[in-house]
Amino acid sequence: MKISGPTLFSSNAQATGILLFLLLTVAPLLMGILYALLYSLGIIGLMSEGVTLAYWEQTLGDTEFWLSLGYTFYIALITISLTVIAALGLTLFLKKPFQKGLPGFSLYMPLAFPAIVVAFLVFQVASQSGLLSRIAWQLGWISDSATFPDLVNDTFGIGIIAAHTFMAVPFFSLYFMNLYDGERIRGFSQVAKSLGASRIQQLFRIEVPILLQRAFPTIILYTIFVLGSYEIPLILGRQSPQMMSVLIIRKLRKFSLDTIPEAYVAALLFLAVIILLLIVIFKTRSFSYDLDN
Amino acid sequence: MINNRILYTVFSLLLTALLAGCSAREGDQNFENLSWEEISERARGQTVNLMMWMGDPNINDYMQNYVVPEVKQQYGIDLNIANGQGNTIVSILMSELEAGKQEGELDLVWINGKTFYQLRQIKGLYGPFLNKLPNSTYIDLDNPFIKYDFQQPINGYEVPWGNVQFTMIYDSARVPNPPRTREALVNYVKQHPGSFTIANDFSGMTFLKSLLIGMAGPGTLDGEFNKEAYQTYSSQLWKYINRLKPYLWKDGETFPENVAAMHQLFVNGELHFTMSNNDSEVDNKILEGFFPKTARAYVLEDGTIQNSHYLGIPVNAPHKAASMVVNNFLISPAAQYRKARPDVWGDGTVLAMDKLPGKWEEQFQRMPQRKYAPSRDSLNNHALQELAPKYMIQLYEDFRTHIIQQ
């Protein structure tokens, strides 16, 4: 979005509207960032002992911070990849049955669950004393609950990824199905077929590329949502490495008041990394829903 | 250009908001020269906002169905209770003070140790006011477990409210002879891998502190934070925990976020032990039907930490008079007696029996006893004093670097 030149506003009403929008959304955000910045430099804060770069140096040199950052991106990328693959599969092969009746309804169901509830559900089902473990024990597959594989609070974030994927697959499936119908993808595909394209070519040269291109901004926004998630990694994650939100809240709210500025540094760095990535991504692609671009 | 004007407006608003946050704070209302009658008179009709941990149905029941109606009826005070623990309280007060807010949201807070230390650090507490309260004469202020909060003299800035001791909890049906020493614990855990862990929260840190004192010897770590002593004994402690680590829950690679998660694992049967900062918790949880009837509390031979919890008044509390009256009610013999009953809350009283009027002394003596935890007298023989708050802050950080991240 770019505001260039006075011609942008056709009337005073429009200008007022945009001003209000900026005041209500952009201004608080900027104030928050400014506050975090001042706090992280020791300029404000009850415990501050004067301007210092110590908190920035501390955080930049902290392996825990970089590990957490990497881990956060790992979780988000795996989640979004699995989700997109699953949702594409559902859309391209099972669209008919999922657009009506019980399957259709069941697709909407997970959308109604808040993140914290999903986290608890995954915990109840997948922990070592959970439902799956009990079933495996009843069937004689495992001798006691400790031999059940670690699926929550585990090294690879399986629980976190499972919970996020559970929430995201229905959302993307419905979205892809609507795109599929709305963009008349079937029509394009038929044209290609009549020109001699095989089913594989129809899928991978026409249907999947159109869906992905159309959905691209939404996929990126959802990735950011996963990057910033809190409850799910809090309940299903490990004590180390932690996803960024969990790490930041710990530094902000746990026992030591001295780590509060570090929390702001971590938040600002996390934000900077995301904004940089967004700029790079959208610089190379047009931020538009228009197919012609 | 209109967009420049927009930018300018936004920026000046930003600045105004920031500057507004920097205005100076005024002095507090002074109650020095008021008599208790005058304070009570002022309190009538006021509303007190109390922030406290509301994670226990017994405690909530005591507060909502006993304290709230009593203070309304006796003193005409409306008591509102909001949920929030130490860190929430500290961050609310910090942002209020940083914003220069002279009348805050909170009139009364339930705190101890670390929160007391932090609130004193940010000069967030009103006081001293303890001596103003008529019922404060009954408080057992000779008791070091009450007079000092994490080695810090309370100096009239907090009102002692209750007293508890850390206990280990086990299921006697599965563990007939619970390990009572550090070495026995290692042996037990080696024989039963995955059955023990440490919560990465306040309770877990209290457990670590108890071990630390056990290694250093009682009294060695008293007083202010001593870096050298801490280094010496904490390295012993990490060596010890690292011996346990391969046999802990999830091979010691991760730890429960808090003691509630640990209770859940204990009830599921994944863990053989859980822990609690409150020696009555085992009785409460059995009565609730959450713990099995065979659950029991005990302490290690080297002892465990006993501490008190307190009530404080924020420096910017808008209704200090009413807050003092509520404080005074909460330390009255009637309110303390009720709170100490195992079927109500089971929280140890802070009143000295020999200072109480005879009738109340008798009532306290005749109180029904709890069933699943050792008696308070026998726990007292194994009670250790809290260490300075810095020890816990340091242990929490080092537990992360020496154990969790290894």
Side-chain angles (χ1 to χ4, degrees):
Chain A
M1 191 180 69
K2 213 171 143 195
I3 306 168
S4 57
T7 49
L8 229 105
F9 308 105
S10 53
S11 67
N12 275 345
Q14 205 181 39
T16 318
I18 291 183
L19 184 68
L20 263 177
F21 170 79
L22 288 178
L23 277 181
L24 292 177
T25 58
V26 182
L29 205 68
L30 287 178
M31 280 172 68
I33 293 173
L34 189 63
Y35 183 82
L37 191 67
L38 294 179
Y39 215 113
S40 72
L41 292 169
I43 296 169
I44 52 172
L46 277 186
M47 303 285 295
S48 131
E49 286 167 354
V51 184
T52 170
L53 284 175
Y55 304 116
W56 282 84
E57 285 166 11
Q58 157 77 24
T59 306
L60 286 170
D62 184 5
T63 26
E64 189 191 18
F65 169 76
W66 295 108
L67 260 176
S68 282
L69 194 63
Y71 183 71
T72 306
F73 275 93
Y74 153 80
I75 296 275
L77 292 179
I78 299 282
T79 299
I80 214 76
S81 310
L82 289 176
T83 301
V84 167
I85 292 169
L88 281 176
L90 282 179
T91 307
L92 297 173
F93 301 109
L94 293 167
K95 190 158 90 63
K96 273 264 166 60
F98 268 112
Q99 275 182 322
K100 53 178 187 279
L102 191 65
F105 175 72
S106 68
L107 206 49
Y108 281 93
M109 273 240 305
L111 294 177
F113 285 92
I116 195 159
V117 176
V118 174
F120 273 114
L121 281 180
V122 171
F123 192 86
Q124 297 294 354
V125 171
S127 74
Q128 286 189 326
S129 52
L131 201 61
L132 290 180
S133 166
R134 285 169 203 213
I135 293 172
W137 185 78
Q138 288 288 342
L139 294 174
W141 295 347
I142 53 173
S143 56
D144 74 290
S145 64
T147 54
F148 189 75
D150 264 344
L151 299 177
V152 299
N153 312 122
D154 61 301
T155 320
F156 301 106
I158 298 172
I160 304 177
I161 293 170
H164 274 306
T165 310
F166 172 80
M167 285 174 60
V169 167
F171 171 76
F172 275 98
S173 302
L174 290 168
Y175 181 55
F176 286 161
M177 286 174 193
N178 285 334
L179 277 181
Y180 195 91
D181 293 340
E183 300 295 335
R184 300 193 308 278
I185 292 177
R186 163 125 311 157
F188 288 117
S189 202
Q190 294 294 347
V191 172
K193 193 181 174 190
S194 63
L195 292 173
S198 68
R199 180 72 189 122
I200 300 280
Q201 281 174 322
Q202 273 177 285
L203 277 180
F204 290 103
R205 305 294 291 273
I206 311 280
E207 301 184 7
V208 171
I210 296 179
L211 282 176
L212 287 185
Q213 190 178 1
R214 277 310 168 102
F216 183 72
T218 310
I219 293 176
I220 296 297
L221 291 179
Y222 204 93
T223 311
I224 295 177
F225 168 74
V226 177
L227 285 172
S229 66
Y230 179 69
E231 295 99 329
I232 289 178
L234 182 72
I235 293 165
L236 300 173
R238 322 199 100 195
Q239 294 294 314
S240 167
Q242 290 173 314
M243 277 184 81
M244 282 308 288
S245 312
V246 181
L247 176 97
I248 291 168
I249 297 290
R250 168 165 62 79
K251 295 222 180 239
L252 202 59
R253 305 293 291 275
K254 275 281 170 132
F255 301 129
S256 174
L257 294 181
D258 304 330
T259 59
I260 294 176
E262 285 173 40
Y264 285 117
V265 175
L268 287 171
L269 284 172
F270 187 38
L271 189 68
V273 170
I274 291 178
I275 290 176
L276 267 177
L277 278 175
L278 283 184
I279 290 174
V280 171
I281 290 170
F282 285 113
K283 258 263 153 79
T284 53
R285 296 186 67 124
S286 162
F287 189 3
S288 165
Y289 284 83
D290 191 353
L291 247 194
D292 300 330
N293 287 317
Chain B
M1 287 242 292
I2 197 157
N3 55 331
N4 280 347
R5 230 184 301 155
I6 291 179
L7 269 180
Y8 177 77
T9 319
V10 168
F11 208 79
S12 38
L13 272 168
L14 252 161
L15 272 179
T16 325
L18 276 173
L19 288 176
C22 301
S23 63
R25 204 148 40 86
E26 274 177 22
D28 297 298
Q29 290 161 278
N30 206 343
F31 291 93
E32 279 296 295
N33 306 318
L34 293 184
S35 71
W36 184 248
E37 284 67 35
E38 287 167 312
I39 292 175
S40 311
E41 201 39 56
R42 271 196 200 190
R44 198 162 283 280
Q46 288 190 339
T47 300
V48 169
N49 288 319
L50 161 64
M51 182 166 271
M52 59 179 268
W53 176 69
M54 291 177 77
D56 188 316
N58 288 318
I59 298 177
N60 296 346
D61 187 60
Y62 170 77
M63 293 306 294
Q64 295 292 356
N65 299 325
Y66 172 68
V67 177
V68 170
E70 286 289 320
V71 295
K72 176 75 188 168
Q73 195 211 331
Q74 292 187 31
Y75 312 103
I77 294 171
D78 288 301
L79 181 62
N80 285 332
I81 304 178
N83 186 26
Q85 283 191 71
N87 47 19
T88 314
I89 294 167
V90 173
S91 59
I92 288 178
L93 272 168
M94 260 182 115
S95 26
E96 282 180 356
L97 296 182
E98 277 164 0
K101 207 170 168 192
Q102 286 156 34
E103 291 216 334
E105 300 293 329
L106 307 174
D107 298 297
L108 185 58
V109 288
W110 183 17
I111 53 178
N112 85 342
K114 179 208 60 154
T115 312
F116 179 56
Y117 170 73
Q118 291 182 337
L119 290 179
R120 295 283 281 152
Q121 257 183 315
I122 64 171
K123 299 189 174 58
L125 283 179
Y126 168 75
F129 70 95
L130 180 57
N131 287 338
K132 280 265 163 209
L133 312 181
N135 286 333
S136 68
T137 49
Y138 302 134
I139 292 181
D140 189 5
L141 280 176
D142 300 328
N143 182 344
F145 290 99
I146 291 173
K147 186 172 158 194
Y148 297 103
D149 186 5
F150 281 54
Q151 303 284 332
Q152 312 151 94
I154 59 173
N155 282 346
Y157 280 85
E158 325 179 89
V159 178
W161 192 23
N163 177 274
V164 289
Q165 187 162 341
F166 179 93
T167 54
M168 308 263 283
I169 295 169
Y170 67 102
D171 183 350
S172 58
R174 289 154 56 109
V175 188
N177 294 307
R180 291 184 186 273
T181 62
R182 287 196 299 277
E183 279 316 304
L185 182 63
V186 176
N187 291 334
Y188 184 90
V189 174
K190 278 186 179 167
Q191 280 162 23
H192 304 88
S195 65
F196 186 74
T197 189
I198 300 161
N200 188 21
D201 72 347
F202 187 83
S203 303
M205 294 308 115
T206 307
F207 173 69
L208 291 180
K209 259 188 285 183
S210 304
L211 292 181
L212 190 74
I213 300 172
M215 289 170 175
T220 317
L221 298 173
D222 282 357
E224 294 205 350
F225 180 74
N226 178 337
K227 201 169 172 190
E228 277 160 40
Y230 173 77
Q231 297 289 1
T232 313
Y233 297 111
S234 70
S235 63
Q236 282 183 35
L237 175 67
W238 305 132
K239 245 184 228 151
Y240 173 77
I241 301 289
N242 273 317
R243 277 172 66 204
L244 287 177
K245 194 179 164 181
Y247 311 100
L248 294 180
W249 176 73
K250 299 237 174 203
D251 307 326
E253 284 175 10
T254 191
F255 294 84
E257 168 76 17
N258 52 42
V259 81
M262 206 170 159
H263 287 346
Q264 193 76 47
L265 294 166
F266 172 68
V267 172
N268 280 342
E270 268 186 72
L271 294 177
H272 293 181
F273 299 89
T274 183
M275 39 187 71
S276 173
N277 264 321
N278 178 354
D279 45 299
S280 314
E281 182 158 14
V282 68
D283 280 70
N284 292 339
K285 289 276 187 295
I286 289 175
L287 285 175
E288 279 168 36
F290 181 53
F291 281 176
K293 282 222 164 58
T294 44
R296 297 287 181 275
Y298 80 110
V299 292
L300 296 175
E301 262 168 29
D302 278 343
T304 55
I305 298 227
Q306 184 184 105
N307 66 29
S308 298
H309 43 99
Y310 302 82
L311 296 156
I313 303 180
V315 68
N316 61 356
H319 310 114
K320 294 195 179 75
S323 187
M324 285 202 228
V325 172
V326 173
N327 267 305
N328 190 52
F329 171 74
L330 290 172
I331 53 169
S332 65
Q336 286 275 316
Y337 170 78
R338 200 178 167 91
K339 183 162 70 77
R341 288 177 59 125
D343 54 339
V344 176
W345 170 352
D347 192 30
T349 181
V350 294
L351 305 183
M353 290 306 121
D354 53 359
K355 291 182 182 170
L356 286 178
K359 147 186 122 137
W360 277 111
E361 194 182 343
E362 265 173 51
Q363 268 229 275
F364 270 98
Q365 308 295 4
R366 285 204 315 267
M367 174 140 38
Q369 292 301 309
R370 57 188 177 192
K371 287 189 210 141
Y372 307 105
S375 75
R376 239 171 245 279
D377 286 341
S378 81
L379 282 180
N380 272 334
N381 298 328
H382 297 274
L384 305 172
Q385 276 226 48
E386 273 288 4
L387 302 178
K390 186 88 207 275
Y391 282 101
M392 182 163 88
I393 294 171
Q394 206 61 48
L395 277 178
Y396 181 68
E397 272 168 28
D398 290 351
F399 183 59
R400 183 159 278 284
T401 47
H402 290 275
I403 307 294
I404 299 179
Q405 287 171 359
Q406 285 303 306

